[in-house]
Amino acid sequence: MSALPVVASARSAVVSGSSSSSLLSSTSTWSQTLSRMTSSRRHRYPRLRLSPSRVLALRLRSKTDRQKKAYGSAFEFAAKQRTDRLPLLLFQAWMARQDLHNEHRVSTPIRSITPSEWADRFRSLASRGWSTGDMDHWIWILSGEDGDVRIQRLVSTETPKPIFLVTILVRSDERLGNAESLLSLMKYTSRHYFHSPTPSSGNDVALPGRKVTMTSAQFLLLLRRIVRHVQRFWPRSITTVARFTADYIRGMPSDATGYHQKCEVFNAALQLFKQPAATQPIQNMEFNWRAQRLLLAMSDNLDKPLIINKASYRAIREVMIGLKRSQTERAVAIRYAKSWPPYRQDFDGLDAKRTAEDDYSRSVKAGIVMKEAGYPDDNYDQALDALGGMSNNSPTIQTRSLPPKEWKGEEQDRNVYTRWAMMIRATRNQQEAWKVFNDLAAETGKPPNVQVYAEIFIKLQAHPLPPTSTALPGESRENFPIHDANYSEYELARLSPPTVTELYDHMIASGVKPHGHCLHTLLINAGSLEEGIRYLQDSGINMASIRSLTLFKEPSFQALRQIPLLVFKSYIQLLCRLQPDRRGRERIPLEELHLIRHAIKLVKLRLRPDTTEGSTFRPPWSVILRALARSKICVLNGTSASNDAEALSMALDVIQSVRRTAGVDPEIFLYLCRSVQKTAVSQLDRWEASIGDSSAAEISSLVPSAETISDTLKALFSDMTIPVKLAGATPSTLPAPKFMHDIGPAHLHGYMRALAFLEDTTAMEQLLEWMLANKTYIDEETERIGSRGHALIAKTLCAFQAFVGPSLEQEQQDDIINRVENTGDDADSWKWPTPEEVDHYVQSDLRGGSRKLQQRLLAKFWLLSSHQDNVKTPAMIPT
């Protein structure tokens, strides 16, 4: 009886709104509606073998006829259903408005729905608080041309939408490229689905006068998807997501059930925030830690702090091992003994007073807190201990690292291999690594698996640490010097590890095949293409796919798709690494010169613009552009000037492909800047002798198509520095990073130099103006990097003064200096370089490019001034 008023109100709502619907029949079939609405919930909302929301997501993903055909069975299944599930009804209404003449499996069941059935089902829709106008609006949202447009349509009105629609728009395979999309979605969600006083009915429905409320399960689904997008293209905004999560937790009920759900969301978020960023994961781990700290601080400020479970303690430790060392941790690293284990040496009396516990890293201390909370440690926790600098009360090398592989469920016992592998990683050189490799083999009584072999291969293939390096053990992948402790030659030979080839042959003979991280490191460091192909064959990859990778073969897109993306990227790295450098006048075989061109061909084919991989996976492009920016790379037999010009031309072609697919990031931008500088420097030797020739000095440029390249660089920089703005949002309500891309001191210095070698002084002045306008942001980036960041900003100012300063009037110079030195607080103000500092900057360029460019620019400025002084007013011609 309680349902009758709802039916009556639904009936009146349908009658009053029926004239506005294109799908609702004017003929009333109220008896059928009453029967449906009073039937059991299981009959009206049955559990289906395929989620209707999943079908909607597949439809959004299907852009081509091939994709629609591939998912045809799912679409046919959804089209045949006659239940009242809201996503299913939305799918069918959407399909009824599409051209389905090529999809007979879908069009037939959709056309079979009679007007009376549409009317019946839309009356059911009205009984749940929605109208046919709402349905029209949702279809309009889904019809957007890309993910960003769909989200903007979603948030364009303040009316709440069903929660499944919100989660579908941020599914993991959606292509989002605008930071504003995620920000606006989070703002919209918090405004419409948070802090509801009435618990959700779980149906994603909004009855009249009520607000749709997100359950904890729905929120976690949305959170997982948002974090995935954030870590793909905007990792610094993970702190914004943390504040978004904290707002949701604070708004949850405070009763016993609510407290349990708060803990569930809190712990799930801590674990989600450990996910590394897609680009520069180690460097961005700082922001993962900031996000976790925001949640921990929120918990501490609650009346009843939330309980941290074991998985969350692990997540916190996994983030901590990726952080830069603190001052205390650096002091411990400086005091490592040269022997193994690396016990701390006492440098003074203060060191002698320190206990072993005082030397523990933050990660190890977090592990102790976990055990004090009642959670026993296991092999995986001991692996984290090893990376944190301690294992079984014996010191290791604290090593900055990404989280190691964690085996779960029935395979949890395999974490013994993770501990073994991390013990090898937490060493300083191949000799220590080999000792740990053998010690753990004897301790565990197990043969090493591929995970263990991967770490020992990394140590065997690592380069020696340069003598000039200031890195401490654990901060660099290079091998530190071996401490022989006056061993005899026999003992040194006994302790020496095998070669990579010997160990690899032993691994294959033991029945262990290379895959995953092991295959990647072997492939990247292979000595030849033949050796790389052997690794691929031993890994079990399809032979047709391997043949598509080889030189002078016509690759197949379908064959390349069978190769895992990271393996494909590793092979591209191998091709680029084997691309030869110039060897004086020696001619290089065409086969060797073709390697990087083959890499470009493979990447263009594999990462097509119309594929999800092509629009999201950027690393192979970065690898190619980094290789093209190498100082002595050889891409054709000829002079260094023509060779570098060709490399720059190839880089520009690659840039255009990147812009059409995954988009340019600051790393790629910096590689292009370096290619420009390299090309100009190689030309300067030719032009140095002709500086006095006015025609050569005024007309010729150092870089072919300099104006076009300058325009490209300016366009890329402009795109990367568009501020993230959200209408109606204030920093206090939705704090977010100012820019989507991370432009730091290295990028500014590289860009300033590239513009100088392009002789675009106007753009250099514009760059300085941008730096002054965004000084607060630049100062934050500089502080993050430390002393190197401050040095790069000083170099950027030196570059401006060296290459632009002589062309400025004294009044302009004074104005710029005044603005630079008086922007911000005295403590944070920049100092304009002195003439001595500018001269030191120019002379410190070992290739002499800065000195030669300065001479060229000075000559051009002098010639220009001379011409202006010699210009005279033409004499009047007598009539």
Side-chain angles (χ1 to χ4, degrees):
M1 297 297 294
S2 60
L4 291 178
V6 176
V7 171
S9 62
R11 180 176 184 179
S12 62
V14 170
V15 171
S16 63
S18 60
S19 60
S20 62
S21 172
S22 59
L23 291 174
L24 184 59
S25 171
S26 60
T27 304
S28 176
T29 54
W30 186 247
S31 59
Q32 295 179 22
T33 303
L34 185 63
S35 173
R36 288 171 60 87
M37 298 183 66
T38 56
S39 63
S40 68
R41 176 179 175 80
R42 180 176 296 180
H43 175 75
R44 294 167 58 203
Y45 309 106
R47 294 185 64 87
L48 303 175
R49 64 177 177 84
L50 188 62
S51 165
S53 296
R54 174 63 177 162
V55 176
L56 272 174
L58 291 175
R59 191 66 189 187
L60 285 172
R61 184 179 183 179
S62 301
K63 303 296 184 184
T64 64
D65 290 338
R66 178 182 165 276
Q67 290 174 316
K68 292 175 182 178
K69 183 177 180 181
Y71 302 131
S73 58
F75 301 151
E76 181 183 13
F77 170 79
K80 288 181 177 179
Q81 303 302 310
R82 295 296 182 265
T83 70
D84 289 347
R85 296 280 294 272
L86 194 54
L88 196 63
L89 183 56
L90 175 59
F91 172 79
Q92 293 175 351
W94 187 23
M95 292 301 97
R97 302 185 184 188
Q98 289 196 354
D99 181 6
L100 302 174
H101 71 276
N102 289 330
E103 299 178 78
H104 301 294
R105 298 171 64 183
V106 181
S107 62
T108 301
I110 291 295
R111 285 199 303 265
S112 68
I113 304 176
T114 65
S116 62
E117 287 179 312
W118 281 120
D120 183 21
R121 299 175 74 193
F122 278 116
R123 289 190 184 93
S124 173
L125 179 71
S127 71
R128 289 176 280 168
W130 304 112
S131 69
T132 52
D134 291 329
M135 182 69 72
D136 292 339
H137 186 60
W138 305 338
I139 293 174
W140 174 70
I141 291 171
L142 295 177
S143 301
E145 54 266 28
D146 58 43
D148 294 304
V149 171
R150 285 190 281 269
I151 288 179
Q152 292 309 313
R153 289 183 177 186
L154 176 85
V155 303
S156 62
T157 61
E158 290 299 317
T159 56
K161 284 83 175 175
I163 294 174
F164 77 83
L165 190 61
V166 177
T167 55
I168 282 175
L169 296 188
V170 285
R171 66 195 189 282
S172 57
D173 62 350
E174 182 59 278
R175 305 179 193 178
L176 299 179
N178 294 336
E180 288 85 353
S181 296
L182 290 178
L183 280 181
S184 60
L185 185 72
M186 286 189 282
K187 180 184 176 185
Y188 180 87
T189 301
S190 61
R191 190 166 60 247
H192 291 286
Y193 306 115
F194 286 11
H195 313 298
S196 174
T198 307
S200 171
S201 62
N203 300 336
D204 293 359
V205 300
L207 297 179
R210 295 177 61 184
K211 180 180 179 181
V212 181
T213 305
M214 256 186 184
T215 65
S216 59
Q218 291 167 337
F219 176 78
L220 288 177
L221 173 63
L222 177 67
L223 183 64
R224 281 193 295 271
R225 295 180 175 183
I226 288 177
V227 169
R228 184 178 180 88
H229 286 291
V230 158
Q231 294 298 67
R232 180 179 63 81
F233 72 87
W234 197 20
R236 294 193 178 193
S237 66
I238 192 70
T239 54
T240 304
V241 181
R243 294 185 176 95
F244 171 71
T245 305
D247 288 342
Y248 178 79
I249 293 174
R250 280 191 288 260
M252 297 175 73
S254 299
D255 56 14
T257 302
Y259 179 77
H260 174 76
Q261 292 176 342
K262 282 184 178 182
C263 291
E264 180 185 10
V265 174
F266 171 70
N267 284 286
L270 285 174
Q271 294 160 45
L272 283 173
F273 294 163
K274 75 177 182 181
Q275 294 181 13
T279 57
Q280 299 184 319
I282 288 285
Q283 291 85 341
N284 281 307
M285 199 58 75
E286 170 191 345
F287 300 97
N288 295 66
W289 175 230
R290 291 185 188 182
Q292 289 184 334
R293 280 195 308 177
L294 281 168
L295 288 188
L296 294 171
M298 179 273 301
S299 173
D300 288 343
N301 290 327
L302 295 176
D303 294 336
K304 183 179 180 181
L306 304 176
I307 299 171
I308 306 176
N309 62 25
K310 182 175 182 178
S312 295
Y313 274 115
R314 280 185 175 176
I316 292 170
R317 298 187 67 196
E318 288 169 332
V319 170
M320 283 181 168
I321 61 173
L323 301 177
K324 288 193 297 186
R325 283 191 174 112
S326 65
Q327 290 298 324
T328 302
E329 291 167 344
R330 284 185 61 84
V332 173
I334 292 172
R335 290 162 173 77
Y336 282 143
K338 294 182 179 180
S339 58
W340 187 265
Y343 290 103
R344 171 173 53 82
Q345 303 174 97
D346 293 339
F347 285 3
D348 51 36
L350 293 176
D351 289 341
K353 293 180 181 180
R354 290 175 61 86
T355 64
E357 290 75 13
D358 293 332
D359 293 341
Y360 287 164
S361 67
R362 290 167 290 179
S363 176
V364 171
K365 290 177 180 177
I368 294 173
V369 173
M370 181 192 75
K371 286 185 279 189
E372 290 175 348
Y375 302 114
D377 66 351
D378 56 22
N379 281 312
Y380 188 78
D381 297 305
Q382 291 169 17
L384 296 178
D385 284 340
L387 293 173
M390 184 60 61
S391 179
N392 294 333
N393 297 318
S394 177
T396 60
I397 300 298
Q398 181 190 353
T399 303
R400 192 178 184 187
S401 170
L402 291 176
K405 180 177 179 61
E406 180 182 3
W407 299 92
K408 298 181 180 181
E410 296 180 354
E411 296 183 313
Q412 186 174 359
D413 291 342
R414 303 188 70 180
N415 280 321
V416 65
Y417 294 113
T418 299
R419 172 175 169 260
W420 190 347
M422 294 307 102
M423 285 288 293
I424 294 172
R425 184 179 295 183
T427 57
R428 289 171 289 201
N429 51 55
Q430 64 266 45
Q431 188 181 84
E432 293 177 354
W434 183 240
K435 182 179 188 306
V436 171
F437 178 89
N438 291 310
D439 290 348
L440 268 292
E443 177 186 322
T444 61
K446 297 177 179 291
N449 72 344
V450 68
Q451 189 178 1
V452 176
Y453 277 115
E455 292 300 326
I456 192 66
F457 280 132
I458 290 173
K459 289 293 182 182
L460 294 178
Q461 293 169 331
H463 296 289
L465 186 76
T468 57
S469 174
T470 59
L472 294 173
E475 294 178 347
S476 173
R477 280 287 190 178
E478 286 85 4
N479 280 323
F480 281 71
I482 295 174
H483 177 62
D484 57 24
N486 295 320
Y487 290 142
S488 65
E489 291 186 7
Y490 170 80
E491 186 65 11
L492 287 174
R494 187 184 68 83
L495 295 174
S496 297
T499 65
V500 171
T501 301
E502 291 170 344
L503 186 62
Y504 182 78
D505 290 340
H506 175 76
M507 181 184 82
I508 294 298
S510 302
V512 179
K513 292 184 177 182
H515 63 82
H517 192 42
C518 181
L519 178 59
H520 302 159
T521 187
L522 287 169
L523 198 54
I524 291 169
N525 295 284
S528 65
L529 286 182
E530 292 73 21
E531 185 179 335
I533 294 298
R534 180 197 174 189
Y535 295 144
L536 291 172
Q537 291 172 339
D538 290 343
S539 71
I541 290 178
N542 182 277
M543 279 303 301
S545 298
I546 295 175
R547 283 193 292 270
S548 285
L549 292 172
T550 55
L551 290 175
F552 308 115
K553 299 287 185 181
E554 192 60 35
S556 161
F557 172 67
Q558 294 302 329
L560 291 179
R561 286 191 67 190
Q562 304 304 313
I563 302 174
L565 270 180
L566 292 179
V567 175
F568 178 76
K569 173 227 172 189
S570 299
Y571 187 76
I572 298 301
Q573 283 185 266
L574 173 62
L575 289 171
C576 293
R577 187 177 63 80
L578 294 179
Q579 181 72 21
D581 286 340
R582 294 193 296 273
R583 305 167 188 165
R585 296 186 177 182
E586 178 185 346
R587 291 187 64 83
I588 296 174
L590 292 179
E591 182 176 340
E592 294 183 38
L593 293 177
H594 186 68
L595 293 177
I596 197 164
R597 291 178 173 85
H598 183 60
I600 295 171
K601 180 180 179 180
L602 291 175
V603 176
K604 284 183 177 180
L605 180 60
R606 177 73 162 86
L607 301 180
R608 292 179 173 178
D610 59 344
T611 63
T612 301
E613 294 170 344
S615 62
T616 58
F617 194 62
R618 193 182 289 120
W621 297 117
S622 297
V623 169
I624 291 170
L625 286 163
R626 182 178 182 179
L628 289 172
R630 248 168 40 205
S631 61
K632 294 183 179 181
I633 189 172
C634 185
V635 294
L636 55 79
N637 286 309
T639 64
S640 60
S642 61
N643 187 81
D644 290 340
E646 176 65 16
L648 177 59
S649 176
M650 294 170 64
L652 289 170
D653 177 67
V654 171
I655 286 290
Q656 298 308 317
S657 296
V658 179
R659 297 179 78 176
R660 289 192 298 268
T661 53
V664 175
D665 65 1
E667 183 181 21
I668 286 176
F669 175 76
L670 184 58
Y671 293 147
L672 180 59
C673 290
R674 290 175 180 173
S675 294
V676 170
Q677 296 176 50
K678 178 185 67 169
T679 303
V681 170
S682 66
Q683 294 280 358
L684 273 169
D685 289 334
R686 297 175 55 192
W687 292 111
E688 189 175 22
S690 62
I691 289 180
D693 184 347
S694 60
S695 60
E698 291 185 60
I699 299 175
S700 300
S701 61
L702 296 175
V703 179
S705 305
E707 185 176 348
T708 301
I709 295 173
S710 180
D711 290 342
T712 299
L713 284 175
K714 287 184 284 189
L716 294 177
F717 185 78
S718 177
D719 290 343
M720 291 188 298
T721 54
I722 297 175
V724 176
K725 294 181 179 179
L726 185 61
T730 62
S732 60
T733 59
L734 198 66
K738 184 173 184 178
F739 302 109
M740 192 173 81
H741 294 284
D742 311 328
I743 301 295
H747 308 106
L748 296 173
H749 180 236
Y751 184 35
M752 185 70 82
R753 283 184 61 83
L755 292 174
F757 282 102
L758 290 168
E759 301 173 280
D760 191 344
T761 56
T762 302
M764 295 175 71
E765 293 179 41
Q766 292 171 349
L767 175 57
L768 184 61
E769 289 289 338
W770 184 90
M771 292 174 62
L772 292 172
N774 295 277
K775 184 177 182 301
T776 302
Y777 164 80
I778 296 173
D779 285 342
E780 291 173 358
E781 290 300 297
T782 303
E783 287 299 322
R784 283 187 58 249
I785 299 173
S787 58
R788 181 172 174 269
H790 292 284
L792 284 169
I793 292 298
K795 287 183 176 181
T796 305
L797 298 178
C798 284
F800 181 89
Q801 177 61 21
F803 305 129
V804 181
S807 66
L808 300 177
E809 299 289 343
Q810 187 61 45
E811 185 178 346
Q812 290 178 284
Q813 282 261 27
D814 294 342
D815 178 63
I816 290 174
I817 294 173
N818 179 63
R819 292 176 59 200
V820 167
E821 295 189 341
N822 293 284
T823 301
D825 300 332
D826 291 340
D828 297 328
S829 61
W830 296 338
K831 302 300 180 185
W832 193 255
T834 63
E836 293 76 18
E837 290 171 335
V838 173
D839 184 64
H840 176 74
Y841 171 78
V842 171
Q843 299 302 326
S844 63
D845 185 348
L846 299 181
R847 293 192 62 186
S850 296
R851 176 184 57 80
K852 295 172 186 176
L853 176 64
Q854 189 181 45
Q855 291 175 353
R856 174 183 169 87
L857 293 175
L858 286 172
K860 291 185 68 174
F861 299 149
W862 180 82
L863 286 170
L864 180 62
S865 300
S866 299
H867 288 172
Q868 290 174 345
D869 292 341
N870 292 331
V871 171
K872 297 180 180 179
T873 304
M876 296 294 295
I877 301 176
T879 58

